[in-house]
Amino acid sequence: MSARELAACLCREGDRHLTLGQPPLATAFYLAAFSCHAPSAVQRVREALAEARGAPVVATLEAWCRGDGQIPTIHWDGMAVVSLTGTLASAFLATLCPDHPASVLHTLAGLLVHGHHGEVARRCDALLATHSQQVLELQLTRALAWVLSRVQVDDGVVDYLRAFVESPERTVAFIRAHQQPYLPLLVRTLEDHTSGRQEAGSSASQHETNCQRLMAALSPGGARSQPLPPAALLREGRYEDCLAACSRALEPDAVGSRPQGEHLATLLVTRAAAAFFLEGRAQDVLGDLQDAFRESPAAARRQFQALLSAEDRERVQVRVQEAADLGFSRFREAVRSRLELRGDAGRELLAPVTGALRFLLRVAPPGARPALGVRLAECLLLAGDAMGAWALCDRLLRPGNRQDVRPGPRAGPRAPLLALRGFCALHAGDTRRAREDFQMVVEQGVPHPVGCVRALCGRGLLRVLDGSAVLGALDYVTACQLWPEEALLAAKAYVPWNHRGLLLIVLREEGRRMLQRRRDSAPAGVPGRRKKAAETDSPGAQEGDAQGVYQLATLLMELDTEDEASRLLAADALYRLGRLDDAHKALLMALSRRPQATPVLARLALLQLRRGFFYNANQLVKKVVESGDTACLQPTLDVFHEEDRQLLWGHCHARALAILRARPGGDGGAQAREAISYLSLAIFAAGGQASDSLLARARCYGFLGQKKTAMFDFNAALRAEPGNVQALCGRALVYLALGQQKEAVDDIISALKLDPGTVVPEIRSLKPEAQVFITQGLYTHCRALLSQPLDTGALLSDEDTQGLLATAEALVKLDAQQPGWHILLTDVLMAVGNYEEAGAHLQKTLGSAPLSEEARARLGLLHIKKGDAPAAMQDLQGLVEKDPGDLSFLLHLLEASERQSLAQAAAQKAGTLLDAGFPEQALGFCSLAVLASGDSDQHLRTRAACLAELQEFGRALRDLDCVLQKGAGDSDPSTQAEDFCSQGRLLLSLGDEAGAAGAFTRALELAPTLALSSLRERPGRAPTAQVLQHHGQRCLEAQRHAEAWTAAESGLLVDPEHSGLKRLKARIRREASSGCRLH
């Protein structure tokens, strides 16, 4: 049998055991299959995982990798399979679930066993750098590798201590579970580290303290008094006489002296005993005993034990304890009844309680003293003696104190003492010590109710002061759930008076945020956070949050009875708990205090809608609208469920539409303002995402002339729904009213791309002048976009062409009688290559009406596309003089070959007409040839000749200048010479003899023979010589002898016998005889 077949058999056996509900055996068979043929086993288990049956297999592999549980022995074909190990399980788990934490830790542990300490440290560094979720475990594994390597021992100890400080319980648990074999070595290393620092002379520091704490966490662990007469009277049962005798003895004598010291204490105890036996004098008993123990504790205790039997002493203690308890209960009630948030009324009630407790601490048995000490420290703190209370707590918590109780089943007083000491430190301004004490209480394994509640309240206050409001609120919610009465006492009495106001505000706001939490609060694309958000926002979790917020709100109402916001928070929590009737009663009570409170009215309206009382809900909504105070409702409505807010949105939106439709002849402004109030409430109810309500309110604002406010609503609707055509049209109209035509056109075009059928009626509904603004703006935009390839060379995008088509078609629909719109649509169709459709549209719309030059030009373009250049030439040439820019746009739509054939045909026609003597008719064809050829030199010369015949010398000269500029240095000299001759003749016709002379001279320089022939023909020998003579004379007068000489030489070339030129030349020679050589 092959390995694959054996693996398949083992997998089938694993499937059978998995079906029978035996995950360990099934996992063992899969593991055996993995050892035979890994792909088969992995495929089979992944199939099981896809069907949700394979989860127990992964869980079993995790346990084996952690070392929890033993891999069962399996038999196959009569033989036991003994090759199943934790290492194999780790490999299997890693293949199934790459980088699984349990597999990674098991692999690292195996490397440690084999002494690969450096490899383990490097792997841990790499995993920590990737922000692994098991930071603590990887840090401790790396620390052990460093310790075992004996190279970086100090670094390993630092890592251990850092992990221990951050999470003591998890650190100790991990070391005991995963590093137990190395525990003795680790303890020795810690001891060596501590002793080494001490030998080095390092002072005691937090580092050494942490080291000691970690080692502790890892280790196993006289005279006989003469009887006074009052005492004798007491023993004889003469209590009244004893009481009188003691009182007399305590009175000052003749010289004003009174008993003192032990004598005074003895008398006071004796009188207290007499009062005790007389009954009904508990206050006298307590007062005398307090004074006696204050005067001389030893004497007082001795007398107390001598006069009273053990039973009587116990009765005294019971009565004093009852008095202390009663006094403290009165103080708690006084605290609860405080009206002033920052007041400390009732402190005077603690003085007798404090005295009673001091006495009890003197006489009580050792086992009862810790609890008494806790209560005394509590009373001292509440009475304002924070330092005295701190000293007492510190003494009671001191390890050497006999009253100290080690952590264990009987460690009751320790948690309250730590919490009290934390509050003492808080009152003294030592927040660090306070935080440490509170944290120690909270982290106890079995929490003490009173101590835990107080510690949570203290830690919550510190978190609020540190800016961690959420964590602080959670601490108070937990405290309220554990013991509401104790949490109220802590907030009203233990919290310093100057922090109570801040605490109230922060807890109230955080409670509201807990109620406002949404299920979509997790960021998209973060699966872990989405999963956590789903867990915390489940119905059960939300109900738990609401219950906690309700208890917190109850605490806040007790903390400040005048705080209406706390009452509303309680009502909101009741609503979230589904207790609608209780929420309704709470809101009615709040309404009785403030009849016009908008937040209360809105909540009541929504509750009535939820309960089906629509008439009452409508009246309440009307009151909310009439109040005009709707801006504060967004946080209020965020608390309510989506379906309830939809009810309120539907009601308010429908009511607003009814107002707008009703009474068409009424006051439109008043109706619009009333509708705006309802729509605002509807928008708040929908969380700002109600596009219909936003659009309706924007139109109302526009009707009232509040353009900027209307713009805000249109923008909000477009943020929620970017493709909302009505919002785009509405915003375009507002832009138009504000004079921002470009923005208005952009919005109209965006809307046309989405839904032209909706946009056209919107434009038709405008006034005629507004329609003109919009249509002209659209036309201008389209023309600019169509000219873009001609101006910048950039091609039109698909989005641009889509917008052009939609805009042109909309313009045609708006006014089919406007020829310009049809021309625009034709141009757009041709620009996108739909020439047949463009031709059909042009023929259909223009019909038998006389064609304009623009329409004829479009037909000419379509002719050239069909290959009919002569017909196209006839249609296009009419646009040459009327609109060259439009003609250039049309020519740009042609291919290069089409433009070349058009230019040739136009040039031929122009030549024919010029030869026939019709220059006026030829001019259009000449210009068409120039434009189609891209300013060809040949066609420019032809048009210049035609213009010269028409005596438009200026235009002709411009064409020749263009030719000469383009051909400088490149053209044939003969051709250039002819061009200069023509230029000179044109300049001469314009009266510019100097310019003409320069052109003639230049022509003669380039090609003398050709130039002479041309100039003798026109303008003739004599006129040419005269022009050159005049130019030479002007140059001579200006002392430009070289130019004068050139002019004379050129003139003599034209007419060698010209006497004037000869004289000019002689004169130039004479004036220049000073030494300049002119030739």
Side-chain angles (χ1 to χ4, degrees), residues 55 120 151 225 258 267 465 637 787 840 918:
V120 171
V151 176
S225 300
R258 295 182 57 189
L267 285 174
L465 295 176
L637 296 171
S787 301
F918 301 106

Side-chain angles (χ1 to χ4, degrees), residues 758-785:
T758 302
V759 181
V760 171
E762 289 281 349
I763 299 177
R764 282 177 176 166
S765 66
L766 301 177
K767 295 179 180 179
E769 54 270 22
Q771 290 189 42
V772 170
F773 269 112
I774 289 292
T775 53
Q776 287 298 328
L778 293 174
Y779 180 79
T780 303
H781 174 82
C782 291
R783 278 297 170 199
L785 203 58

Side-chain angles (χ1 to χ4, degrees), residues 558-573:
E558 294 284 347
L559 196 59
D560 187 359
T561 57
E562 299 299 323
D563 186 28
E564 295 297 330
S566 298
R567 296 183 181 276
L568 292 180
L569 180 62
D572 290 342

Side-chain angles (χ1 to χ4, degrees), residues 31 98 126 168 195 212 598 624 629 662 748 826 850 854 893 1053:
L31 188 58
S195 60
Q212 294 290 344
T598 302
V624 172
D629 184 19
I748 290 292
T826 302
E854 291 83 358
L893 299 177
L1053 285 176

Side-chain angles (χ1 to χ4, degrees), residues 54-389:
V57 176
V58 175
T60 305
L61 287 171
E62 290 177 0
W64 292 348
C65 289
R66 292 193 303 266
D68 300 338
Q70 187 175 2
I71 302 177
T73 302
I74 61 174
H75 294 79
W76 174 253
D77 198 16
M79 295 183 296
V81 180
V82 295
S83 60
L84 306 183
T85 63
T87 303
L88 184 61
S90 173
F92 192 16
L93 182 59
T95 306
L96 285 173
C97 307
D99 296 330
H100 191 281
S103 173
V104 171
L105 290 176
H106 185 271
T107 302
L108 295 175
L111 291 172
L112 285 176
V113 170
H114 290 87
H116 302 296
H117 308 136
E119 176 68 17
V120 171
R122 286 192 295 273
R123 289 197 182 186
C124 290
D125 287 337
L127 290 171
L128 287 170
T130 60
H131 307 286
S132 172
Q133 295 182 353
Q134 290 193 317
V135 174
L136 181 70
E137 291 77 1
L138 290 171
Q139 184 178 349
L140 291 172
T141 304
R142 183 181 64 183
L144 179 59
W146 280 342
V147 169
L148 293 176
S149 69
R150 313 306 297 174
V151 176
Q152 294 178 273
V153 177
D154 288 341
D155 293 339
V157 171
V158 169
D159 260 10
Y160 272 114
L161 295 181
R162 185 184 297 115
F164 181 71
V165 170
E166 292 176 355
S167 181
E169 293 181 358
R170 285 181 58 197
T171 301
V172 174
F174 182 82
I175 293 173
R176 291 189 179 279
H178 296 275
Q179 299 180 358
Q180 184 67 33
Y182 309 102
L183 194 54
L185 172 63
L186 179 57
V187 173
R188 287 197 305 273
T189 302
L190 292 172
E191 292 173 351
D192 295 342
H193 181 78
T194 305
S195 60
R197 289 178 62 90
Q198 292 174 353
E199 291 173 2
S202 300
S203 59
S205 63
Q206 187 64 39
H207 180 85
E208 296 175 11
T209 302
N210 294 335
C211 196
Q212 294 290 344
R213 288 174 55 202
L214 178 57
M215 285 191 293
L218 296 178
S219 299
R224 184 175 176 182
S225 300
Q226 294 292 332
L228 298 174
L233 294 173
L234 181 68
R235 282 191 289 270
E236 293 177 2
R238 298 165 57 185
Y239 304 126
E240 292 286 354
D241 295 339
C242 178
L243 189 63
C246 289
S247 298
R248 286 194 301 272
L250 290 170
E251 292 177 357
D253 57 12
V255 295
S257 63
R258 295 182 57 189
Q260 294 181 357
E262 292 186 358
H263 186 200
L264 176 59
T266 302
L267 285 174
L268 288 171
V269 171
T270 304
R271 188 170 70 171
F276 168 72
F277 287 119
L278 288 174
E279 300 290 343
R281 300 191 181 190
Q283 292 300 322
D284 295 338
V285 173
L286 183 57
D288 283 345
L289 288 174
Q290 290 176 6
D291 292 341
F293 278 89
R294 187 183 304 112
E295 183 69 21
S296 178
R301 184 182 295 106
R302 190 165 55 247
Q303 185 71 0
F304 182 70
Q305 294 175 352
L307 293 179
L308 298 176
S309 64
E311 183 179 352
D312 290 336
R313 291 197 300 271
E314 186 176 354
R315 287 173 57 202
V316 170
Q317 294 176 30
V318 169
R319 290 187 183 181
V320 174
Q321 182 70 57
E322 290 175 352
D325 292 342
L326 179 61
F328 194 75
S329 297
R330 289 174 179 171
F331 171 76
R332 290 175 66 104
E333 188 60 33
V335 170
R336 187 181 182 89
S337 303
R338 283 178 187 167
L339 298 179
E340 177 58 37
L341 173 64
R342 297 173 179 82
D344 284 325
R347 278 187 172 183
E348 66 279 358
L349 299 175
L350 290 172
V353 179
T354 303
L357 292 171
R358 291 186 186 277
F359 163 73
L360 290 172
L361 275 172
R362 302 284 187 181
V363 300
R369 291 176 187 174
L372 293 171
V374 173
R375 179 53 57 88
L376 177 59
E378 183 178 1
C379 291
L380 290 173
L381 174 63
L382 296 174
D385 185 8
M387 295 307 297

Side-chain angles (χ1 to χ4, degrees), residues 1022-1035:
T1024 303
Q1026 185 177 4
V1027 168
L1028 291 171
Q1029 179 187 5
H1030 292 167
H1031 179 64
Q1033 290 173 348
R1034 285 191 295 270
C1035 291

